[in-house]
Each structure stands twice: as structure tokens, then as C-alpha cells.
Amino acid sequence: MEKKVTPYKDSELGKKQQVTQMFDTISGKYDGLNRVISFGIDIKWREKVVSLVNNTKPKNILDIATGTGDLAINMALKTAAEKITGLDISPGMLEVGKQKIADKKLSNKIDMVIGDSESLPFDDNSFDAITVAFGVRNFEDLEKGLSEIYRVLKKGGIFVVLETSNPTKPPYKQGYNIYTRTILPTIGRLFSKDRSAYAYLSESASVFPFGEKFNNILRKIGFINVDDKPQTFGVATIYEAYK
């Protein structure tokens, strides 16, 4: 049974509501924090996701948990997709993203919509490609969210996930544990008053079923040709799957 990790231990709200509240709170600092936490390597990881998606020549892409739109913007600039929809549960994150998209004059190509990944407001078989970057571990019900993704993906379509994972080989395993338990929360406190948010980001990563465990969940939902690609000593993993 997957351990249920939530941002605010003393809150009576469900995980979904807590995650929304957390990302609304940190939305203004999120982009800067991402660069610091990953030493900027997350930019390279996103480029690899874009390359995988671009190989399938999609016309219509859905980016779930789009946040401030980094991945959606990359795909708008580097693929021939006609339309990209960025969906997120946090209005605060979407507002930051909409401004970035407007500044890059991409508003005619990217739609940013508020929505719940576990109840997607789209018809079956709507998208050629679907992506999630650093979002699946925030799903309240992981299998329900993945089932919804499967439903709205077209047959033959690609699904790409970028998510944190845990290095399994020494000394990277020990170094990563020290980093996530001590350094990461300290960075979070410097960036934001919301200390719980950064403790949650680290704790939720530590219990997420990465690697072959996540591959097997994808296969259980119905995805085929599932593959995982560990990044940077295993601190993140890119998953590729098809319907």
C-alpha cells in the first residue's frame, strides 16, 4: 500500500486540496526554486521529454500538471504541434504560466486550463501525446489519474512522464538522502515562508513507486511498450509509454 504523503500534516483537507493550496502559495517562487534545487539540470530533462514527444509528430498535446508552463512552452517552440493544452489544479501556477506564454507570444498555440488530473474535462481519444513533468506523485489516486490519461490519449499515442526518483547505487544514494533531508528543506525556507511545501516535495519523492514499480502500474492501466530512462545518477526518471 502506497504511503499517503500530504503537504500539511495538521490540515483536515484532502491531498488534492492541500496540493492546490501549496502550489498557489509557492507559485511566484516556483520557477526559481526549480533551477536551484536541480542545479538547472531540470532544463535538460525537459528537453529530452520534448524530443521523445517530437519523434511521434503529434498535432494535439496535453501537458498535465503544467504548473507555470515550462514544458508546454518548450513543446510549442520545438515541435510542430498545432495545439497544446496545459492543465493544472492550481490557479496561482496557471496565472504565472499565462503571463510567460503571453510574453513569448504563444497564447494562440497554448491553452491553459484549470482541471483535475483524476477527472479530465476531455473526450476519449482526444490527444496524440500527453506529458506530465513532476506531477504524477501529486495525484491523490495515482491509478485513477493514469486511467484518465489513458482514456483521453489516442490509440498509438505517446505518454511521457518526468518524475523524481531515488538513486540506488552508492555513493549517489547516500548523497541524495542527505541532500533531500537537510539541504532541500533549507533551500525551501530561504525561498518561501511555506516550509511544509518543500518538506512535502522531498517526502513525496521518497515514497513514489519509481522505476520498474511505476512501469508495472502503467502496464496494469493498459499502456504498452513501457520504458524507463533514469537521469543524472537516478535522481529523476523519464518514462515512455504508448496506448
Side-chain angles (χ1 to χ4, degrees), residues 82-122:
E82 296 167 5
K83 199 69 183 175
I84 296 165
T85 303
L87 177 138
D88 203 279
I89 203 169
S90 164
M93 296 284 273
L94 287 173
E95 284 308 310
V96 175
K98 285 176 184 175
Q99 189 57 57
K100 286 162 60 174
I101 289 163
D103 290 345
K104 294 180 182 295
K105 298 180 170 52
L106 291 171
S107 300
N108 63 329
K109 197 168 183 178
I110 304 174
D111 282 337
M112 297 289 265
V113 299
I114 293 176
D116 182 351
S117 57
E118 293 163 41
S119 182
L120 294 172
F122 309 111

Side-chain angles (χ1 to χ4, degrees), residues 23 50 56 59 61 68 76 108 111 115 122 143 177 181 185 191 199 234 243:
F23 281 115
V50 174
T56 68
K59 292 183 178 178
I61 302 173
T68 63
N108 63 329
D111 282 337
F122 309 111
E143 290 192 15
N177 285 340
R181 288 176 185 172
F191 267 79
K243 180 172 178 178

Side-chain angles (χ1 to χ4, degrees), residues 132 136-137 139 142-143 146 149 159-163 208-221 223 226-228 237-241:
V132 188
V136 289
R137 77 176 187 273
F139 289 5
L142 179 59
E143 290 192 15
L146 294 174
I149 289 166
F159 175 42
V160 184
V161 173
L162 169 60
E163 190 52 88
F208 186 77
F210 66 93
E212 192 60 20
K213 287 182 180 178
F214 188 64
N215 290 344
N216 286 333
I217 295 170
L218 290 170
R219 294 183 186 110
K220 178 182 176 183
I221 300 302
F223 289 100
V226 177
D227 189 25
D228 65 285
T237 300
I238 294 172
Y239 302 89
E240 177 185 12

Side-chain angles (χ1 to χ4, degrees), residues 65-82:
T66 194
T68 63
D70 274 356
L71 185 54
I73 289 168
N74 277 344
M75 291 190 291
L77 294 172
K78 297 175 182 176
T79 75
E82 296 167 5

